[in-house]
Coordinates of all heavy atoms in Angstrom, one line a residue:
M1 N 1.9 12.3 8.1 CA 2.1 10.9 8.0 C 3.6 10.6 8.3 O 4.0 9.5 8.3 CB 1.7 10.4 6.7 CG 1.5 8.9 6.6 SD 0.3 8.6 5.3 CE 0.5 6.9 5.2
T2 N 4.4 11.6 8.4 CA 5.8 11.4 8.7 C 5.9 11.1 10.2 O 5.3 11.7 11.0 CB 6.7 12.6 8.4 OG1 6.2 13.7 9.1 CG2 6.6 12.9 6.9
E3 N 6.7 10.1 10.5 CA 6.8 9.6 11.9 C 8.3 9.6 12.2 O 9.1 9.1 11.4 CB 6.2 8.3 12.0 CG 6.2 7.7 13.3 CD 5.5 6.3 13.3 OE1 4.3 6.3 13.0 OE2 6.1 5.3 13.7
E4 N 8.7 10.1 13.3 CA 10.1 10.0 13.7 C 10.5 8.6 14.0 O 9.9 7.9 14.8 CB 10.4 11.0 14.9 CG 11.8 11.2 15.1 CD 12.0 12.2 16.2 OE1 11.3 13.2 16.2 OE2 12.9 11.9 17.1
L5 N 11.6 8.2 13.4 CA 12.1 6.8 13.6 C 13.0 6.8 14.8 O 14.0 7.5 14.8 CB 12.8 6.3 12.4 CG 12.0 6.1 11.1 CD1 12.8 5.6 10.0 CD2 10.9 5.1 11.4
D6 N 12.7 6.0 15.8 CA 13.6 5.9 16.9 C 14.2 4.5 16.9 O 13.9 3.6 16.0 CB 12.9 6.1 18.2 CG 11.7 5.2 18.4 OD1 11.3 4.4 17.5 OD2 11.1 5.3 19.5
S7 N 15.1 4.2 17.8 CA 15.8 2.9 17.7 C 14.9 1.7 18.0 O 15.1 0.6 17.5 CB 17.0 3.0 18.7 OG 16.5 3.1 20.0
T8 N 13.9 1.9 18.8 CA 12.9 0.8 19.1 C 12.2 0.4 17.8 O 12.0 -0.8 17.5 CB 11.9 1.3 20.2 OG1 12.7 1.7 21.3 CG2 11.0 0.1 20.6
T9 N 11.7 1.4 17.1 CA 10.9 1.1 15.9 C 11.8 0.4 14.8 O 11.4 -0.5 14.2 CB 10.3 2.4 15.3 OG1 9.6 3.1 16.3 CG2 9.4 2.1 14.1
V10 N 13.0 1.0 14.6 CA 13.9 0.4 13.7 C 14.3 -1.0 14.1 O 14.4 -2.0 13.3 CB 15.2 1.3 13.5 CG1 16.2 0.6 12.6 CG2 14.8 2.6 12.9
G11 N 14.6 -1.2 15.4 CA 14.9 -2.5 15.9 C 13.8 -3.5 15.7 O 14.1 -4.7 15.4
L12 N 12.6 -3.1 16.0 CA 11.4 -4.0 15.8 C 11.3 -4.4 14.3 O 11.0 -5.6 14.0 CB 10.2 -3.4 16.3 CG 8.9 -4.2 16.2 CD1 9.0 -5.5 17.1 CD2 7.7 -3.4 16.7
A13 N 11.4 -3.4 13.4 CA 11.3 -3.7 12.0 C 12.4 -4.7 11.6 O 12.1 -5.6 10.8 CB 11.4 -2.4 11.2
F14 N 13.6 -4.5 12.0 CA 14.7 -5.3 11.7 C 14.5 -6.7 12.2 O 14.8 -7.7 11.5 CB 16.0 -4.7 12.2 CG 17.2 -5.4 11.7 CD1 17.6 -5.3 10.4 CD2 18.0 -6.2 12.6 CE1 18.8 -6.0 9.9 CE2 19.2 -6.8 12.1 CZ 19.5 -6.7 10.8
L15 N 14.0 -6.9 13.5 CA 13.7 -8.2 14.0 C 12.6 -8.9 13.2 O 12.8 -10.1 13.0 CB 13.2 -8.0 15.5 CG 12.8 -9.3 16.2 CD1 14.1 -10.2 16.4 CD2 12.2 -9.0 17.5
C16 N 11.6 -8.2 12.8 CA 10.5 -8.8 12.0 C 11.1 -9.4 10.6 O 10.8 -10.5 10.2 CB 9.4 -7.9 11.7 SG 8.4 -7.5 13.2
V17 N 12.0 -8.6 10.0 CA 12.6 -9.0 8.8 C 13.5 -10.2 9.0 O 13.5 -11.2 8.2 CB 13.4 -7.8 8.1 CG1 14.2 -8.3 7.0 CG2 12.4 -6.7 7.7
I18 N 14.3 -10.2 10.0 CA 15.1 -11.3 10.4 C 14.3 -12.6 10.6 O 14.6 -13.7 10.1 CB 16.0 -11.0 11.6 CG1 17.0 -9.9 11.2 CG2 16.8 -12.3 12.1 CD1 18.0 -10.3 10.1
L19 N 13.2 -12.5 11.4 CA 12.4 -13.7 11.7 C 11.7 -14.2 10.4 O 11.6 -15.4 10.3 CB 11.3 -13.3 12.8 CG 11.9 -13.1 14.2 CD1 10.8 -12.6 15.1 CD2 12.5 -14.4 14.7
A20 N 11.3 -13.3 9.6 CA 10.7 -13.8 8.3 C 11.7 -14.5 7.5 O 11.4 -15.6 6.9 CB 10.1 -12.6 7.5
G21 N 12.9 -14.0 7.4 CA 13.9 -14.7 6.6 C 14.3 -16.0 7.2 O 14.5 -17.0 6.5
L22 N 14.4 -16.1 8.5 CA 14.8 -17.3 9.2 C 13.7 -18.4 9.0 O 14.0 -19.6 8.8 CB 15.1 -17.1 10.7 CG 16.4 -16.4 11.0 CD1 16.5 -16.1 12.5 CD2 17.6 -17.2 10.5
S23 N 12.4 -18.0 9.1 CA 11.3 -18.9 8.9 C 11.3 -19.5 7.5 O 11.1 -20.7 7.2 CB 10.0 -18.3 9.2 OG 9.7 -17.3 8.3
T24 N 11.7 -18.6 6.5 CA 11.8 -19.1 5.1 C 12.9 -20.1 5.0 O 12.8 -21.2 4.3 CB 12.0 -17.9 4.1 OG1 10.9 -17.0 4.3 CG2 12.1 -18.4 2.7
A25 N 14.1 -19.8 5.6 CA 15.2 -20.7 5.5 C 14.9 -22.0 6.2 O 15.4 -23.0 5.7 CB 16.4 -20.0 6.1
L26 N 14.3 -21.9 7.3 CA 13.9 -23.1 8.1 C 13.0 -24.0 7.3 O 13.2 -25.3 7.2 CB 13.3 -22.8 9.4 CG 12.9 -24.0 10.3 CD1 14.2 -24.7 10.8 CD2 12.1 -23.5 11.5
G27 N 12.0 -23.4 6.6 CA 11.1 -24.2 5.8 C 11.8 -24.8 4.6 O 11.6 -26.0 4.2
A28 N 12.8 -24.1 4.0 CA 13.5 -24.6 2.8 C 14.5 -25.7 3.3 O 14.8 -26.6 2.5 CB 14.2 -23.5 2.1
A29 N 15.1 -25.6 4.5 CA 16.0 -26.5 4.9 C 15.4 -27.9 5.3 O 16.1 -28.9 5.3 CB 16.8 -26.0 6.2
A30 N 14.1 -27.9 5.5 CA 13.4 -29.1 5.8 C 13.5 -30.2 4.7 O 13.5 -31.4 5.0 CB 11.9 -28.9 6.1
V31 N 13.7 -29.8 3.5 CA 13.8 -30.8 2.4 C 15.1 -31.5 2.4 O 15.2 -32.5 1.7 CB 13.6 -30.1 1.0 CG1 12.2 -29.5 0.9 CG2 14.7 -29.1 0.7
F32 N 16.1 -31.1 3.2 CA 17.4 -31.8 3.2 C 17.4 -32.9 4.2 O 18.4 -33.6 4.4 CB 18.5 -30.8 3.5 CG 18.7 -29.8 2.4 CD1 18.4 -28.4 2.6 CD2 19.2 -30.2 1.2 CE1 18.6 -27.5 1.6 CE2 19.4 -29.3 0.2 CZ 19.1 -27.9 0.4
F33 N 16.3 -33.1 5.0 CA 16.2 -34.1 5.9 C 15.1 -35.1 5.5 O 13.9 -34.9 5.6 CB 15.8 -33.6 7.3 CG 16.8 -32.6 7.8 CD1 16.6 -31.2 7.8 CD2 18.0 -33.0 8.4 CE1 17.5 -30.3 8.2 CE2 18.9 -32.1 8.9 CZ 18.7 -30.8 8.8
P34 N 15.6 -36.3 5.0 CA 14.6 -37.3 4.4 C 13.5 -37.7 5.4 O 12.4 -38.0 5.0 CB 15.5 -38.5 4.1 CG 16.9 -37.9 4.0 CD 16.9 -36.7 4.9
R35 N 13.9 -37.7 6.7 CA 12.9 -38.2 7.7 C 11.7 -37.2 7.7 O 10.5 -37.6 7.8 CB 13.5 -38.2 9.1 CG 12.6 -38.8 10.1 CD 13.3 -38.9 11.5 NE 14.1 -40.1 11.5 CZ 14.9 -40.4 12.5 NH1 15.1 -39.6 13.5 NH2 15.6 -41.5 12.4
I36 N 12.0 -35.9 7.6 CA 10.9 -34.9 7.6 C 10.1 -35.0 6.3 O 8.9 -34.9 6.3 CB 11.5 -33.5 7.8 CG1 12.1 -33.4 9.2 CG2 10.4 -32.4 7.6 CD1 12.8 -32.0 9.4
V37 N 10.8 -35.2 5.2 CA 10.1 -35.3 3.9 C 9.2 -36.5 3.9 O 8.0 -36.5 3.3 CB 11.1 -35.4 2.7 CG1 10.4 -35.7 1.4 CG2 11.9 -34.1 2.7
K38 N 9.6 -37.6 4.5 CA 8.7 -38.8 4.5 C 7.5 -38.7 5.4 O 6.5 -39.3 5.1 CB 9.5 -40.0 5.0 CG 10.6 -40.5 4.0 CD 11.4 -41.7 4.6 CE 12.5 -42.1 3.6 NZ 13.3 -43.1 4.2
L39 N 7.5 -37.8 6.3 CA 6.4 -37.5 7.2 C 5.2 -36.8 6.5 O 4.1 -36.9 6.8 CB 6.8 -36.7 8.4 CG 7.6 -37.4 9.4 CD1 8.1 -36.4 10.5 CD2 6.9 -38.6 10.0
T40 N 5.6 -36.0 5.4 CA 4.5 -35.3 4.8 C 3.9 -36.1 3.7 O 4.4 -37.0 3.1 CB 5.2 -34.0 4.1 OG1 6.1 -34.5 3.1 CG2 5.8 -33.1 5.1
S41 N 2.6 -35.8 3.5 CA 1.9 -36.5 2.4 C 1.5 -35.5 1.3 O 1.7 -34.3 1.5 CB 0.6 -37.1 3.0 OG -0.3 -36.1 3.4
R42 N 1.1 -36.0 0.2 CA 0.7 -35.1 -0.9 C -0.5 -34.2 -0.5 O -0.5 -33.0 -0.9 CB 0.2 -35.9 -2.1 CG 1.4 -36.6 -2.8 CD 0.9 -37.1 -4.2 NE 1.9 -37.7 -5.0 CZ 2.7 -37.0 -5.8 NH1 2.5 -35.7 -5.9 NH2 3.6 -37.6 -6.5
R43 N -1.4 -34.7 0.3 CA -2.5 -33.9 0.8 C -2.0 -32.7 1.7 O -2.5 -31.6 1.5 CB -3.5 -34.7 1.6 CG -4.7 -34.0 2.0 CD -5.7 -34.9 2.6 NE -6.2 -35.7 1.6 CZ -7.3 -36.4 1.6 NH1 -8.0 -36.4 2.7 NH2 -7.7 -37.2 0.7
V44 N -1.1 -32.9 2.5 CA -0.5 -31.9 3.4 C 0.2 -30.8 2.5 O 0.0 -29.6 2.7 CB 0.4 -32.4 4.5 CG1 1.2 -31.3 5.2 CG2 -0.4 -33.3 5.4
L45 N 1.0 -31.3 1.6 CA 1.8 -30.4 0.8 C 0.8 -29.5 -0.1 O 1.0 -28.3 -0.3 CB 2.8 -31.1 -0.1 CG 3.9 -31.7 0.6 CD1 4.8 -32.5 -0.3 CD2 4.8 -30.6 1.3
A46 N -0.2 -30.2 -0.7 CA -1.2 -29.5 -1.5 C -2.0 -28.5 -0.7 O -2.2 -27.4 -1.2 CB -2.1 -30.5 -2.2
S47 N -2.3 -28.8 0.5 CA -3.0 -27.9 1.4 C -2.2 -26.7 1.7 O -2.6 -25.5 1.7 CB -3.5 -28.6 2.7 OG -4.4 -29.6 2.4
A48 N -0.9 -26.9 2.1 CA 0.0 -25.8 2.4 C 0.2 -24.9 1.2 O 0.2 -23.7 1.4 CB 1.4 -26.4 2.9
L49 N 0.4 -25.5 0.0 CA 0.5 -24.7 -1.2 C -0.7 -23.9 -1.5 O -0.7 -22.7 -1.9 CB 0.9 -25.5 -2.4 CG 2.3 -26.0 -2.5 CD1 2.5 -27.0 -3.6 CD2 3.3 -24.8 -2.6
G50 N -1.9 -24.5 -1.3 CA -3.2 -23.8 -1.5 C -3.3 -22.6 -0.5 O -3.8 -21.5 -0.9
I51 N -3.0 -22.8 0.7 CA -3.2 -21.8 1.7 C -2.2 -20.6 1.4 O -2.6 -19.5 1.5 CB -2.9 -22.3 3.1 CG1 -4.1 -23.2 3.5 CG2 -2.8 -21.2 4.2 CD1 -3.9 -24.0 4.8
S52 N -0.9 -21.0 1.1 CA 0.0 -19.9 0.9 C -0.3 -19.1 -0.4 O -0.2 -17.9 -0.5 CB 1.5 -20.5 0.8 OG 1.6 -21.3 -0.3
G53 N -0.8 -19.8 -1.4 CA -1.2 -19.2 -2.7 C -2.4 -18.3 -2.4 O -2.5 -17.1 -2.9
G54 N -3.4 -18.7 -1.6 CA -4.5 -17.9 -1.2 C -4.1 -16.6 -0.5 O -4.6 -15.5 -0.7
V55 N -3.2 -16.8 0.5 CA -2.7 -15.6 1.2 C -2.0 -14.6 0.3 O -2.3 -13.4 0.4 CB -1.7 -16.0 2.3 CG1 -1.0 -14.9 2.9 CG2 -2.5 -16.8 3.4
M56 N -1.2 -15.1 -0.6 CA -0.5 -14.2 -1.6 C -1.5 -13.5 -2.5 O -1.4 -12.3 -2.8 CB 0.5 -15.0 -2.4 CG 1.7 -15.3 -1.7 SD 2.9 -16.1 -2.8 CE 2.9 -17.7 -2.1
L57 N -2.6 -14.2 -3.0 CA -3.6 -13.6 -3.8 C -4.4 -12.5 -3.0 O -4.7 -11.4 -3.5 CB -4.6 -14.6 -4.3 CG -4.1 -15.5 -5.5 CD1 -5.1 -16.6 -5.8 CD2 -3.8 -14.6 -6.7
Y58 N -4.7 -12.8 -1.7 CA -5.4 -11.9 -0.9 C -4.6 -10.6 -0.7 O -5.1 -9.5 -0.9 CB -5.8 -12.5 0.4 CG -6.4 -11.4 1.4 CD1 -7.7 -11.0 1.2 CD2 -5.6 -10.9 2.4 CE1 -8.2 -10.0 2.0 CE2 -6.2 -9.9 3.2 CZ -7.4 -9.5 3.0 OH -8.0 -8.5 3.9
V59 N -3.3 -10.7 -0.4 CA -2.5 -9.5 -0.2 C -2.4 -8.7 -1.4 O -2.5 -7.5 -1.4 CB -1.1 -10.0 0.4 CG1 -0.1 -8.8 0.4 CG2 -1.2 -10.5 1.8
S60 N -2.2 -9.4 -2.5 CA -2.1 -8.7 -3.8 C -3.4 -8.0 -4.2 O -3.4 -6.8 -4.6 CB -1.7 -9.6 -4.9 OG -0.5 -10.2 -4.7
F61 N -4.5 -8.7 -4.0 CA -5.8 -8.1 -4.3 C -6.1 -6.9 -3.4 O -6.5 -5.8 -3.9 CB -6.9 -9.1 -4.1 CG -8.3 -8.5 -4.2 CD1 -8.8 -8.0 -5.4 CD2 -9.1 -8.4 -3.0 CE1 -10.0 -7.4 -5.4 CE2 -10.3 -7.8 -3.1 CZ -10.8 -7.3 -4.3
A62 N -5.8 -7.0 -2.1 CA -6.1 -5.9 -1.2 C -5.3 -4.6 -1.6 O -5.8 -3.5 -1.5 CB -5.7 -6.3 0.3
E63 N -4.0 -4.8 -2.0 CA -3.2 -3.7 -2.3 C -3.7 -3.1 -3.6 O -3.8 -1.8 -3.8 CB -1.7 -4.1 -2.5 CG -0.8 -3.0 -2.8 CD 0.7 -3.4 -2.8 OE1 1.0 -4.4 -2.2 OE2 1.4 -2.8 -3.5
I64 N -3.9 -3.9 -4.6 CA -4.4 -3.4 -5.9 C -5.7 -2.7 -5.8 O -6.0 -1.7 -6.5 CB -4.4 -4.5 -7.0 CG1 -2.9 -4.9 -7.3 CG2 -5.1 -4.1 -8.2 CD1 -2.8 -6.2 -8.1
F65 N -6.6 -3.3 -5.0 CA -8.0 -2.8 -4.9 C -8.0 -1.3 -4.3 O -8.7 -0.5 -4.8 CB -8.9 -3.7 -4.0 CG -10.3 -3.3 -4.0 CD1 -11.1 -3.7 -5.1 CD2 -10.8 -2.5 -3.0 CE1 -12.5 -3.3 -5.1 CE2 -12.2 -2.2 -3.0 CZ -13.0 -2.6 -4.0
V66 N -7.1 -1.1 -3.3 CA -7.0 0.2 -2.8 C -6.4 1.2 -3.8 O -6.9 2.3 -3.9 CB -6.1 0.2 -1.5 CG1 -5.8 1.6 -1.0 CG2 -6.8 -0.6 -0.4
K67 N -5.4 0.8 -4.5 CA -4.9 1.7 -5.6 C -5.9 2.0 -6.6 O -6.0 3.1 -7.1 CB -3.6 1.0 -6.2 CG -2.4 1.0 -5.3 CD -1.2 0.4 -6.0 CE 0.0 0.4 -5.0 NZ 1.2 -0.1 -5.7
A68 N -6.7 1.0 -7.0 CA -7.7 1.2 -8.1 C -8.8 2.2 -7.5 O -9.2 3.1 -8.3 CB -8.4 -0.1 -8.5
T69 N -9.2 2.0 -6.3 CA -10.2 2.9 -5.7 C -9.7 4.3 -5.6 O -10.4 5.3 -6.0 CB -10.6 2.4 -4.3 OG1 -11.1 1.1 -4.4 CG2 -11.7 3.3 -3.7
D70 N -8.4 4.5 -5.2 CA -7.8 5.8 -5.2 C -7.8 6.5 -6.6 O -8.0 7.7 -6.8 CB -6.4 5.8 -4.6 CG -6.4 5.5 -3.1 OD1 -7.5 5.6 -2.5 OD2 -5.4 5.1 -2.6
S71 N -7.4 5.7 -7.6 CA -7.4 6.2 -9.0 C -8.7 6.6 -9.5 O -8.9 7.6 -10.1 CB -6.8 5.1 -9.9 OG -5.4 4.9 -9.6
F72 N -9.7 5.8 -9.2 CA -11.1 6.2 -9.6 C -11.6 7.4 -8.8 O -12.2 8.3 -9.4 CB -12.1 5.0 -9.3 CG -12.1 4.0 -10.4 CD1 -11.9 2.7 -10.1 CD2 -12.5 4.3 -11.7 CE1 -11.9 1.7 -11.1 CE2 -12.5 3.4 -12.7 CZ -12.2 2.0 -12.4
E73 N -11.2 7.6 -7.6 CA -11.5 8.8 -6.8 C -10.9 10.0 -7.4 O -11.5 11.1 -7.5 CB -11.1 8.6 -5.3 CG -12.3 8.2 -4.5 CD -11.9 8.3 -3.0 OE1 -11.9 9.4 -2.4 OE2 -11.6 7.2 -2.4
E74 N -9.6 9.9 -7.8 CA -9.0 11.0 -8.4 C -9.6 11.4 -9.8 O -9.8 12.6 -10.1 CB -7.5 10.7 -8.7 CG -6.6 10.7 -7.4 CD -5.2 10.4 -7.7 OE1 -4.7 10.6 -8.9 OE2 -4.5 9.9 -6.8
H75 N -10.0 10.4 -10.5 CA -10.6 10.6 -11.8 C -12.0 11.3 -11.6 O -12.4 12.1 -12.5 CB -10.8 9.3 -12.6 CG -11.4 9.5 -13.9 ND1 -10.8 10.1 -15.0 CD2 -12.6 9.1 -14.3 CE1 -11.6 10.1 -16.0 NE2 -12.7 9.5 -15.7
L76 N -12.7 10.9 -10.6 CA -14.1 11.4 -10.4 C -14.1 12.7 -9.6 O -15.1 13.3 -9.4 CB -14.9 10.4 -9.6 CG -15.2 9.1 -10.3 CD1 -15.9 8.1 -9.4 CD2 -16.1 9.3 -11.5
A77 N -12.9 13.2 -9.2 CA -12.8 14.5 -8.4 C -13.5 15.7 -9.1 O -14.1 16.5 -8.5 CB -11.4 14.8 -8.0
D78 N -13.3 15.7 -10.4 CA -13.8 16.9 -11.2 C -15.3 16.7 -11.5 O -16.1 17.7 -11.6 CB -13.1 17.0 -12.6 CG -11.7 17.3 -12.4 OD1 -11.3 17.9 -11.3 OD2 -10.9 17.1 -13.3
K79 N -15.8 15.5 -11.5 CA -17.2 15.2 -11.9 C -18.2 15.1 -10.7 O -19.3 15.5 -10.9 CB -17.2 13.9 -12.7 CG -16.4 13.9 -13.9 CD -16.4 12.6 -14.6 CE -15.5 12.8 -15.8 NZ -15.1 11.7 -16.5
I80 N -17.7 14.7 -9.5 CA -18.6 14.5 -8.4 C -18.0 15.4 -7.2 O -16.9 15.1 -6.8 CB -18.7 13.0 -8.0 CG1 -19.3 12.2 -9.1 CG2 -19.6 12.9 -6.7 CD1 -19.3 10.7 -8.8
E81 N -18.8 16.3 -6.8 CA -18.4 17.2 -5.7 C -18.4 16.6 -4.3 O -17.5 16.8 -3.5 CB -19.3 18.5 -5.7 CG -19.2 19.3 -7.0 CD -18.1 20.2 -7.0 OE1 -17.6 20.6 -5.9 OE2 -17.6 20.5 -8.1
D82 N -19.5 15.8 -4.0 CA -19.7 15.2 -2.7 C -18.6 14.1 -2.5 O -18.6 13.2 -3.3 CB -21.1 14.7 -2.6 CG -21.4 14.1 -1.2 OD1 -20.7 14.5 -0.3 OD2 -22.3 13.3 -1.1
E83 N -17.9 14.2 -1.4 CA -16.8 13.3 -1.2 C -17.3 11.9 -0.9 O -16.7 10.9 -1.3 CB -15.9 13.8 0.0 CG -14.7 13.0 0.2 CD -13.7 13.6 1.2 OE1 -13.8 14.8 1.5 OE2 -12.9 12.8 1.8
R84 N -18.4 11.8 -0.1 CA -18.9 10.5 0.3 C -19.4 9.8 -1.0 O -19.2 8.6 -1.2 CB -20.0 10.6 1.3 CG -19.5 11.0 2.7 CD -20.5 11.2 3.7 NE -21.4 10.0 3.8 CZ -22.5 10.0 4.5 NH1 -22.9 11.1 5.1 NH2 -23.2 8.9 4.5
R85 N -20.1 10.5 -1.8 CA -20.7 9.9 -3.0 C -19.5 9.5 -4.0 O -19.6 8.5 -4.6 CB -21.6 10.9 -3.7 CG -22.3 10.3 -4.9 CD -23.5 11.1 -5.4 NE -24.2 10.5 -6.5 CZ -23.9 10.7 -7.7 NH1 -23.0 11.6 -8.1 NH2 -24.6 10.1 -8.7
R86 N -18.5 10.4 -4.1 CA -17.3 10.1 -4.9 C -16.6 8.8 -4.5 O -16.3 7.9 -5.2 CB -16.4 11.3 -4.9 CG -15.2 11.1 -5.9 CD -14.4 12.3 -6.0 NE -13.8 12.8 -4.7 CZ -14.0 14.0 -4.2 NH1 -14.7 14.9 -4.9 NH2 -13.5 14.3 -3.1
S87 N -16.5 8.7 -3.1 CA -15.8 7.5 -2.6 C -16.7 6.2 -2.8 O -16.1 5.2 -3.2 CB -15.6 7.7 -1.1 OG -15.0 6.6 -0.5
A88 N -18.0 6.4 -2.7 CA -18.9 5.2 -2.9 C -18.8 4.8 -4.4 O -18.8 3.6 -4.7 CB -20.3 5.6 -2.5
M89 N -18.8 5.8 -5.3 CA -18.8 5.4 -6.7 C -17.4 4.8 -7.1 O -17.3 3.9 -7.9 CB -19.0 6.7 -7.6 CG -20.4 7.2 -7.5 SD -21.7 6.0 -8.0 CE -21.3 6.0 -9.8
A90 N -16.3 5.3 -6.5 CA -15.0 4.7 -6.7 C -14.9 3.3 -6.3 O -14.4 2.4 -7.0 CB -13.9 5.6 -6.1
S91 N -15.5 3.0 -5.1 CA -15.6 1.6 -4.6 C -16.4 0.7 -5.5 O -16.0 -0.4 -5.8 CB -16.1 1.6 -3.2 OG -15.2 2.2 -2.3
L92 N -17.5 1.3 -6.0 CA -18.4 0.5 -6.9 C -17.7 0.2 -8.2 O -17.7 -0.9 -8.7 CB -19.7 1.3 -7.2 CG -20.6 0.7 -8.2 CD1 -21.2 -0.6 -7.6 CD2 -21.7 1.7 -8.6
Y93 N -17.0 1.2 -8.8 CA -16.3 1.0 -10.0 C -15.1 0.0 -9.8 O -14.9 -0.9 -10.7 CB -15.7 2.3 -10.6 CG -16.7 3.2 -11.1 CD1 -16.4 4.6 -11.3 CD2 -18.0 2.8 -11.4 CE1 -17.4 5.5 -11.8 CE2 -19.0 3.7 -11.9 CZ -18.6 5.0 -12.1 OH -19.6 5.9 -12.6
S94 N -14.5 0.0 -8.7 CA -13.4 -0.9 -8.4 C -13.9 -2.3 -8.3 O -13.4 -3.3 -8.8 CB -12.6 -0.5 -7.2 OG -12.0 0.7 -7.3
T95 N -15.0 -2.5 -7.6 CA -15.6 -3.8 -7.4 C -16.1 -4.3 -8.7 O -15.9 -5.5 -9.0 CB -16.8 -3.7 -6.4 OG1 -16.3 -3.2 -5.2 CG2 -17.4 -5.1 -6.1
L96 N -16.8 -3.5 -9.5 CA -17.3 -4.0 -10.8 C -16.2 -4.3 -11.7 O -16.2 -5.3 -12.5 CB -18.2 -2.9 -11.5 CG -19.5 -2.6 -10.8 CD1 -20.3 -1.5 -11.5 CD2 -20.4 -3.9 -10.9
S97 N -15.1 -3.6 -11.7 CA -13.9 -3.9 -12.5 C -13.3 -5.3 -12.1 O -12.9 -6.1 -13.0 CB -12.8 -2.8 -12.4 OG -13.3 -1.6 -12.9
F98 N -13.3 -5.5 -10.8 CA -12.7 -6.8 -10.3 C -13.6 -8.0 -10.9 O -13.1 -8.9 -11.4 CB -12.7 -6.8 -8.8 CG -12.4 -8.2 -8.3 CD1 -11.1 -8.7 -8.3 CD2 -13.4 -9.0 -7.7 CE1 -10.8 -10.0 -7.8 CE2 -13.1 -10.2 -7.2 CZ -11.8 -10.7 -7.3
F99 N -14.9 -7.8 -10.7 CA -15.8 -8.9 -11.1 C -15.8 -9.1 -12.6 O -16.0 -10.2 -13.1 CB -17.2 -8.8 -10.5 CG -17.2 -9.2 -9.0 CD1 -17.4 -8.3 -8.0 CD2 -16.9 -10.5 -8.6 CE1 -17.3 -8.6 -6.7 CE2 -16.9 -10.9 -7.3 CZ -17.1 -9.9 -6.3
L100 N -15.7 -8.0 -13.3 CA -15.6 -8.1 -14.8 C -14.3 -8.9 -15.2 O -14.3 -9.7 -16.1 CB -15.6 -6.7 -15.4 CG -15.4 -6.6 -16.9 CD1 -16.7 -7.3 -17.6 CD2 -15.3 -5.2 -17.4
G101 N -13.2 -8.6 -14.5 CA -12.0 -9.4 -14.7 C -12.2 -10.8 -14.4 O -11.7 -11.7 -15.2
V102 N -12.9 -11.2 -13.3 CA -13.2 -12.6 -13.0 C -14.0 -13.2 -14.1 O -13.7 -14.3 -14.6 CB -13.9 -12.7 -11.6 CG1 -14.4 -14.1 -11.4 CG2 -13.0 -12.3 -10.5
L103 N -15.0 -12.5 -14.6 CA -15.8 -13.0 -15.7 C -15.0 -13.2 -17.0 O -15.2 -14.3 -17.6 CB -17.0 -12.0 -16.0 CG -18.0 -12.4 -17.0 CD1 -18.7 -13.7 -16.6 CD2 -18.9 -11.3 -17.3
I104 N -14.2 -12.3 -17.3 CA -13.3 -12.5 -18.5 C -12.4 -13.7 -18.3 O -12.2 -14.5 -19.3 CB -12.5 -11.2 -18.8 CG1 -13.4 -10.1 -19.2 CG2 -11.4 -11.4 -19.8 CD1 -12.8 -8.7 -19.3
N105 N -11.8 -13.9 -17.1 CA -11.0 -15.0 -16.9 C -11.8 -16.3 -17.0 O -11.3 -17.3 -17.5 CB -10.3 -15.0 -15.6 CG -9.1 -14.1 -15.6 OD1 -8.3 -14.2 -16.5 ND2 -8.9 -13.3 -14.6
C106 N -13.0 -16.4 -16.5 CA -13.8 -17.6 -16.6 C -14.1 -17.9 -18.1 O -14.1 -19.0 -18.5 CB -15.1 -17.4 -15.9 SG -14.9 -17.4 -14.1
V107 N -14.5 -16.8 -18.9 CA -14.7 -17.0 -20.3 C -13.5 -17.5 -21.0 O -13.5 -18.5 -21.8 CB -15.3 -15.7 -21.0 CG1 -15.3 -15.8 -22.5 CG2 -16.7 -15.4 -20.4
L108 N -12.3 -16.9 -20.7 CA -11.1 -17.4 -21.4 C -10.7 -18.8 -21.0 O -10.1 -19.6 -21.7 CB -10.0 -16.4 -21.0 CG -10.0 -15.1 -21.7 CD1 -8.9 -14.2 -21.1 CD2 -9.9 -15.2 -23.2
D109 N -11.1 -19.2 -19.7 CA -10.8 -20.6 -19.3 C -11.7 -21.6 -20.1 O -11.2 -22.7 -20.3 CB -11.1 -20.7 -17.8 CG -10.5 -21.9 -17.2 OD1 -9.4 -22.3 -17.6 OD2 -11.1 -22.5 -16.3
I110 N -12.9 -21.2 -20.4 CA -13.8 -22.1 -21.1 C -13.3 -22.2 -22.6 O -13.3 -23.3 -23.2 CB -15.2 -21.6 -21.1 CG1 -15.7 -21.7 -19.6 CG2 -16.1 -22.4 -22.0 CD1 -17.1 -21.1 -19.4
V111 N -12.9 -21.1 -23.2 CA -12.5 -21.1 -24.6 C -11.1 -21.7 -24.7 O -10.5 -22.5 -24.8 CB -12.4 -19.6 -25.1 CG1 -11.8 -19.6 -26.5 CG2 -13.7 -19.0 -25.0

């Protein structure tokens, strides 16, 4: 998994970081111009916040889900010899754990 870093790869990574930082700065700078602020409505702002929150949740979930599946696979390594079955059981346990967490959050929201 080690990959030799050349100047093209490093340059591309640096460019992506710079563009991400500039887009954040551009979005933040928009609030200093009253004409731009007046163009937006509450519905547009709420939609933008909802979309960005959903993207952040998805990215977090995808990363945590993979780590949870890997941890379950490591734990099941001694108990299940077949790699395909072990992987399937780890995915099942990760999925069940996620939905159990959703259920617990729903119950706590009601209480």
